[in-house]
Amino acid sequence: MTTQQFFKGLFMALVTVIVAAFSQQPIDYLLLAVTAVSTILTYSGKNLIAVLHSDSPVGAISWINLASGLLIALGTGILQSVGMYLIDGVILWSIAWKVVLSSAFTYLGATFFAPEHNVTRVRGFVSPRK
């Protein structure tokens, strides 16, 4: 995982949790945790697919980026809906759609403004040199 991927995923998780928090009153903290986990799992799974790595320059969106955004939106929506159903016994579609849209637009926005895919690793995930 590169530094760029780590911060993009962290930003996506924060935005989706904030959107879910402001979508309901009172705030359901268990649902916020499910939202964060579903976003992180979906984004991590997308990054395991080598074909879907972003290769577009700054200020451009490629078809790979659009496919990745769609995959993230679908995955986050499915996991979020399953989590809501397990917690509350019902799917609140207004919250689910807001989380889906916020994860997709956050991914595409972060990809649009991010530099080209790099190979710099996050220090915490690099094995020590011998």
Side-chain angles (χ1 to χ4, degrees):
M1 175 176 281
T2 66
T3 307
Q4 176 183 348
Q5 291 171 331
F6 175 77
F7 284 114
K8 190 186 301 184
L10 179 65
F11 184 59
M12 281 178 47
L14 289 174
V15 168
T16 56
V17 167
I18 290 169
V19 166
F22 284 116
S23 296
Q24 59 184 344
Q25 294 300 324
I27 296 173
D28 184 359
Y29 292 102
L30 184 57
L31 183 60
L32 297 183
V34 167
T35 301
V37 169
S38 66
T39 304
I40 291 167
L41 285 176
T42 304
Y43 184 66
S44 299
K46 193 261 340 156
N47 283 333
L48 292 176
I49 303 170
V51 177
L52 294 178
H53 282 219
S54 176
D55 59 352
S56 59
V58 179
I61 296 287
S62 67
W63 286 105
I64 291 174
N65 301 133
L66 292 175
S68 297
L70 180 63
L71 182 68
I72 286 172
L74 289 175
T76 303
I78 291 169
L79 291 175
Q80 170 75 12
S81 299
V82 168
M84 272 194 279
Y85 186 76
L86 292 175
I87 291 171
D88 297 330
V90 67
I91 298 173
L92 302 173
W93 291 106
S94 64
I95 295 174
W97 284 115
K98 289 176 186 175
V99 169
V100 165
L101 291 175
S102 67
S103 65
F105 286 131
T106 303
Y107 173 79
L108 292 174
T111 302
F112 183 78
F113 292 109
E116 291 184 36
H117 185 73
N118 58 30
V119 293
T120 307
R121 303 276 180 201
V122 175
R123 290 183 184 210
F125 299 116
V126 175
S127 60
R129 293 181 184 168
K130 294 184 180 190

